[in-house]
Amino acid sequence: MTLPRARGTAGSHPRLTREEIVRVALRTLERDGLEQITLRRLAEELGVTAAAVSWHVRSKDELVDAIVQASLRTLRPPQPESGEWTGRLRELHTWFRASLLERRHLVFTPAFRRALPYAFVPVELAGTRILREAGVAEGDAEGASRLLHWHTIAVALNEAGAAHAPPPGRTPRPVLDGAIESLTAADFASFIERLPEMLDTDPDRTFAFGLDCLLRGLQRRLLIARSSRGTRARRPSKR
Amino acid sequence: MTLPRARGTAGSHPRLTREEIVRVALRTLERDGLEQITLRRLAEELGVTAAAVSWHVRSKDELVDAIVQASLRTLRPPQPESGEWTGRLRELHTWFRASLLERRHLVFTPAFRRALPYAFVPVELAGTRILREAGVAEGDAEGASRLLHWHTIAVALNEAGAAHAPPPGRTPRPVLDGAIESLTAADFASFIERLPEMLDTDPDRTFAFGLDCLLRGLQRRLLIARSSRGTRARRPSKR
DNA sequence: ACCTGAACACCGTTCAAGT
DNA sequence: ACCTGAACACCGTTCAAGT
């Protein structure tokens, strides 16, 4: 629509920078979703040629990488200092889930997957710290924190995927049919009976239930003292 | 390279069908990955024009949907009939994880995400059945089975993402840097110390650990009798 | 009904040319 | 150093025309 305006005139920015490109991309991402982001459209919005964008950004892959990194740079996990360890972990992962959902347009991106092992190290560490202060042995605390970490990612990714599956009417029937075919006769009956509640569930409750089960499992497995903080774990560290 | 051969001549198929398109697409998917799949390239491989493919398949989105559905149609969860409930659930979800990993090129597709709530209903139901036979109340068994179900999806998606992150040398440094910035001084030290083991972990062990924690958590929460099958749960069903 | 040939709009990327 | 204009190869989709 708009022709590329000459840079430096009124109403346009004096210079195109990589940061500005990423900023505009992030804005249109939240408005229109990822597949609407195009170097050409971005250029138009910036009042510039597509080639100009390509000059600042080596490739589109690199642009998406930059978008993901810009989006992740603002993450700061809360560090609840007081309270029982279960409550502190609950607070940490409730926050974590929310911040993943805020980035729901990005979480299925290859760039995001590449960042996955690194981006949430602070979350893992925060969880590990809470567990260690609760008396869990060193090696176990790490594994447990990572377990919670993944559970939250799982639930959030599932929610994110369902959230912007655009056509609510267009149910993927064939998949459902294929699934039904493989059911035994006994399962089929209970499937029909329970179908409605399987399809609409409260994500908040499911998340809370899963987290609760995990925490209880850790409590049992790691032999954490119920209420006293600082109690040593009975099971010794392996190293 | 090869010009579209006339259909019906030696070495080419007499007729193009939707099924054949999907079959060839599935084959090249496993060989080259999803982003290499193109209507035009598919057409060339089929000895046909791109327009011909478009005649059998309404759009590329629909093609990917068909690929996902074809890939999911062969899923048949195992139905272990004997043994303790924990072992049976372990067997079920070990199989589940493996079948997700076999489809690692598809799991991040919008089509797959749309299928996610439906495609694995048999897995959920198989898990529910095992739990109910172990004496878990009806509503709880469903929630518990779904929890396991999601945990497996989480771990598998994470593995699948890491598996075909193509450049092993190109670490997304900025993301890691951003993550490090947000660390407290205390966490930073333990981060440096533990970095190597955080980056290369044994996925098998992590999966087993998580599953184990979940099962123990369920054991505690749902008050399942340890070894005797068929014992009633002490907590009554809510309905 | 099924397929070709040609076109269309759009895409990412490159590159000589300007400033 | 930064940007334009034009081109290139490729993409999904459409459509008149053939059989």
Side-chain angles (χ1 to χ4, degrees), chain A residues 53 63 66-67 79 84 123 127 135 148 158 180 205 208 216 219:
Chain A
V53 178
L63 173 65
I67 294 174
Q79 307 269 357
E84 209 178 348
V123 179
L148 295 171
N158 192 66
I180 291 178
R205 225 189 42 200
R216 283 168 196 264
Q219 234 169 1

Side-chain angles (χ1 to χ4, degrees), chain A:
Chain A
M1 301 299 169
T2 1
L3 287 178
R5 297 161 295 176
R7 293 245 129 197
T9 63
S12 79
H13 321 256
R15 232 162 203 296
L16 184 62
T17 65
R18 200 185 142 98
E19 288 72 34
E20 194 189 356
I21 295 172
V22 173
R23 228 187 46 233
V24 171
L26 258 175
R27 182 155 50 83
T28 73
L29 174 80
E30 281 156 25
R31 201 183 51 215
D32 305 326
L34 187 65
E35 66 263 13
Q36 298 299 328
I37 288 192
T38 274
L39 293 190
R40 290 185 127 95
R41 252 185 278 209
L42 226 48
E44 195 194 358
E45 194 144 354
L46 287 158
V48 113
T49 299
V53 178
S54 279
W55 195 90
H56 287 274
V57 156
R58 200 185 311 270
S59 70
K60 189 178 180 180
D61 275 355
E62 195 192 280
L63 173 65
V64 180
D65 266 329
I67 294 174
V68 166
Q69 286 158 18
S71 167
L72 289 176
R73 221 188 312 276
T74 58
L75 274 184
R76 291 289 180 283
Q79 307 269 357
E81 296 292 341
S82 65
E84 209 178 348
W85 66 274
T86 53
R88 294 166 75 194
L89 283 174
R90 225 181 292 274
E91 181 182 339
L92 176 67
H93 279 87
T94 301
W95 166 86
F96 186 27
R97 167 173 170 247
S99 23
L100 285 170
L101 285 177
E102 280 170 12
R103 288 156 182 84
R104 86 186 93 90
H105 288 296
L106 292 175
V107 292
F108 291 103
T109 300
F112 196 90
R113 296 202 308 264
R114 275 195 293 273
L116 208 52
Y118 310 92
F120 305 116
V121 162
V123 179
E124 276 195 60
L125 283 173
T128 305
R129 198 154 63 101
I130 294 172
L131 283 163
R132 272 208 269 171
E133 289 177 14
V136 179
E138 186 150 340
D140 291 340
E142 285 162 30
S145 178
R146 163 164 304 168
L147 170 59
L148 295 171
H149 171 257
W150 276 5
H151 173 257
T152 304
I153 290 177
V155 178
L157 286 203
N158 192 66
E159 287 184 65
H164 66 131
R170 182 159 69 100
T171 314
R173 283 283 314 186
V175 170
L176 186 52
D177 293 343
I180 291 178
E181 275 175 35
S182 76
L183 292 178
T184 66
D187 279 338
F188 183 74
S190 63
F191 167 70
I192 293 297
E193 177 193 346
R194 253 179 288 128
L195 185 60
E197 66 186 277
M198 289 188 90
L199 293 188
D200 76 335
T201 53
D202 181 12
D204 292 328
R205 225 189 42 200
T206 317
F207 173 69
F209 177 79
L211 200 54
D212 192 59
C213 280
L214 285 169
L215 291 175
R216 283 168 196 264
L218 292 173
Q219 234 169 1
R220 170 172 277 218
R221 170 160 181 143
L222 305 177
L223 301 173
I224 299 173
R226 264 291 180 102
S227 51
S228 63
R229 283 180 53 191
T231 311
R232 280 287 117 197
R234 231 175 296 163
R235 199 148 77 92
S237 168
K238 265 168 288 181
R239 52 189 70 201

Side-chain angles (χ1 to χ4, degrees), chain B residues 180-210:
Chain B
I180 291 178
E181 276 175 35
S182 78
L183 292 178
T184 65
D187 278 339
F188 183 76
S190 64
F191 167 71
I192 292 298
E193 177 193 347
R194 253 180 288 129
L195 184 60
E197 66 187 276
M198 290 189 89
L199 293 189
D200 76 336
T201 53
D202 181 13
D204 292 328
R205 227 190 42 199
T206 317
F207 173 69
F209 177 79

